[in-house]
Amino acid sequence: MTSPSYKEIASSISDSQLALILERSGWEKFGGQGSLYSRWRPSGERGVSGLLLPQDSRVADYAELLAQAVAQAWKLGDDRVRSLLEKAVVTSTLGDEIRFQKEAQTHHGTIQWLAGEDLYSAARKSMVVAAKSRKSKLAYFGNSNSHLARSFLDSVLMGQTEVGSYVVTAYAPPGEVFTEKKLKPGDTRPLTGTHTGRDITRGLVHVLETTREVVDHFADTGSTSGFIESVDRGFCYEITHAVRDLVRDSSGGEVRIEMTVAADLFEEVHTESHSLEFSPADYPILERAGNVLAATSRPQRVTVLGSVTLLERPNPGRPGLIRLDVLAGTSARKMRVRLNAEDYDLAMDAHRDNMALKITGRQEIEGRYYWLYDPEQIELIPMEVVERNAGSPSSEQHPLF
């Protein structure tokens, strides 16, 4: 039997996976030193020195020691051990495959230069959104969550393009772990705020599915409500630009995502596939959605008039949270405002006495919710004045703003 490349196997397997292979193949563990290494030998063969299995990947010669352990396992093990080691290489692909495809009306295997640049831009922007949306959901990201996106892109491989409809292929590392914040030398990986490459790839599927649903909803109803309401599912300004780049100057675009899925080396491997298609007809809808998201995401100074429909104050005499059903002053339907104790009492009066509340502040959107920050110039307005002003042919007769 020809010996395989032990280094290749070692690069496709972890020490814990090798330990599981040995354990389930009847090997026994003997000796070792804490979390540094363990020793293994075939069960019942006490005269065999066995192998040393490293357990601390931070040690400088970890990869070399793991390759040596794989070599010993291959030489001393039976056919079951060898078949599982071979399977480790087969199931360890370049990564989750993400294919960005653009239908181009050109010669086979070619694409117009600017359309090709758009395709690469679509791929990059889509993967950046997938990474950024793991940390938080925003209507407009800008430079937010940049470390997570940058470290993810640094680990993605770009594959060869394919002949025919122009295709850009990316390979995302499913098992690699990415942190939301940059770690300093010597820092341990945090228990929270970490995401695997597979998490991000699945996030890309979710964001694109949401985008497809939002576009279809607008096409069916003409309603823009889905633009904002879908922000907490990953829809954002940046993904509208990514998909527009995908379909611009084309007869259609598609993103195909394939993930090799197996619970462990002892279960059958299968491929999980997803495909999302977009067309040039989606472009104007995405452009409109992007304009709405950009406008609502930028902070705006507004004066809002609304009725108080929710009051939350855990402790009397302390600051609290209110929600307004907006009557005028902004396109938002509802607005959340945090108020100090004195202003919160005014909001309670407005709710109790069926009066409107007029507040000036900085409007922002977080997820699907509008917030009014730094509230000031808070006034109570009788509802009859509001109704009379709304019905007046001239707003100057009963000015509220």
Side-chain angles (χ1 to χ4, degrees):
M1 181 181 295
T2 304
S3 298
S5 169
Y6 302 126
K7 287 186 178 180
E8 183 181 4
I9 296 176
S11 66
S12 306
I13 199 171
S14 65
D15 59 88
S16 59
Q17 287 177 310
L18 181 52
L20 192 58
I21 288 174
L22 298 176
E23 182 181 2
R24 295 196 180 184
S25 300
W27 286 49
E28 60 184 9
K29 183 166 66 172
F30 70 102
Q33 183 175 340
S35 60
L36 292 177
Y37 69 88
S38 58
R39 302 195 60 153
W40 295 79
R41 64 190 174 197
S43 182
E45 298 187 21
R46 298 187 179 277
V48 178
S49 59
L51 61 83
L52 181 148
L53 180 61
Q55 297 178 180
D56 188 349
S57 59
R58 295 171 296 181
V59 176
D61 57 353
Y62 171 82
E64 181 182 350
L65 293 174
L66 185 57
Q68 292 175 3
V70 168
Q72 286 296 96
W74 183 276
K75 295 172 183 177
L76 299 176
D78 56 15
D79 289 341
R80 174 176 170 78
V81 172
R82 297 188 186 98
S83 67
L84 288 172
L85 291 175
E86 289 178 329
K87 185 178 180 182
V89 178
V90 173
T91 58
S92 178
T93 63
L94 289 171
D96 292 334
E97 184 178 273
I98 309 170
R99 300 168 71 249
F100 298 85
Q101 179 173 327
K102 194 163 191 170
E103 297 287 347
Q105 302 299 319
T106 56
H107 292 293
H108 214 51
T110 67
I111 194 171
Q112 293 174 330
W113 188 274
L114 294 180
E117 288 184 348
D118 278 345
L119 181 57
Y120 280 96
S121 174
R124 178 185 176 86
K125 289 175 181 176
S126 297
M127 290 188 289
V128 165
V129 168
K132 288 187 172 185
S133 62
R134 287 295 306 175
K135 182 178 179 181
S136 59
K137 304 292 192 294
L138 299 174
Y140 182 96
F141 282 101
N143 292 323
S144 300
N145 307 353
S146 293
H147 172 71
L148 180 59
R150 185 168 54 251
S151 57
F152 173 67
L153 278 184
D154 283 345
S155 297
V156 172
L157 299 177
M158 183 182 291
Q160 293 180 325
T161 56
E162 298 179 16
V163 176
S165 297
Y166 209 76
V167 178
V168 171
T169 305
Y171 296 99
E176 190 168 343
V177 177
F178 304 95
T179 58
E180 295 178 357
K181 297 181 179 179
K182 186 176 182 179
L183 301 182
K184 299 177 182 177
D187 286 351
T188 57
R189 184 183 298 165
L191 296 177
T192 59
T194 61
H195 311 273
T196 66
R198 175 61 55 80
D199 292 335
I200 295 173
T201 301
R202 290 192 186 281
L204 176 59
V205 174
H206 187 66
V207 168
L208 290 173
E209 287 178 341
T210 299
T211 302
R212 182 69 268 168
E213 291 175 14
V214 169
V215 171
D216 291 342
H217 177 264
F218 180 86
D220 292 339
T221 66
S223 172
T224 62
S225 61
F227 299 162
I228 299 300
E229 292 174 357
S230 297
V231 167
D232 61 353
R233 297 170 54 208
F235 191 59
C236 61
Y237 172 82
E238 286 81 358
I239 199 62
T240 67
H241 271 261
V243 179
R244 284 161 61 188
D245 286 349
L246 180 67
V247 299
R248 185 187 290 115
D249 298 326
S250 78
S251 56
E254 179 184 21
V255 181
R256 290 185 59 84
I257 300 170
E258 294 188 353
M259 295 173 278
T260 300
V261 180
D264 55 44
L265 288 170
F266 307 95
E267 292 193 8
E268 184 178 350
V269 177
H270 69 277
T271 300
E272 179 182 324
S273 300
H274 302 269
S275 177
L276 283 305
E277 297 183 2
F278 298 90
S279 74
D282 300 327
Y283 190 98
I285 299 176
L286 291 164
E287 185 174 32
R288 182 168 182 176
N291 291 337
V292 170
L293 292 170
T296 57
S297 63
R298 287 193 290 266
Q300 300 177 45
R301 190 73 175 172
V302 297
T303 297
V304 176
L305 185 71
S307 57
V308 180
T309 56
L310 178 134
L311 292 154
E312 290 184 1
R313 181 165 64 177
N315 299 308
R318 304 290 295 174
L321 171 70
I322 70 168
R323 184 182 68 204
L324 297 175
D325 279 0
V326 177
L327 301 171
T330 175
S331 60
R333 295 180 180 179
K334 298 181 184 298
M335 183 78 70
R336 285 165 168 74
V337 192
R338 290 190 178 92
L339 298 174
N340 61 32
E342 182 179 349
D343 291 337
Y344 185 86
D345 289 339
L346 280 177
M348 290 183 63
D349 293 340
H351 181 69
R352 182 185 62 244
D353 300 333
N354 190 32
M355 301 180 75
L357 207 60
K358 178 182 171 185
I359 311 178
T360 298
R362 187 181 77 254
Q363 174 184 286
E364 295 189 25
I365 184 170
E366 297 179 8
R368 61 184 296 181
Y369 299 118
Y370 284 91
W371 289 83
L372 194 69
Y373 292 109
D374 302 328
E376 60 182 17
Q377 301 175 20
I378 300 176
E379 299 179 37
L380 298 181
I381 308 292
M383 275 297 181
E384 56 267 23
V385 175
V386 174
E387 293 167 357
R388 193 164 59 243
N389 186 80
S392 171
S394 172
S395 60
E396 295 179 355
Q397 183 175 353
H398 303 288
L400 295 179
F401 296 98

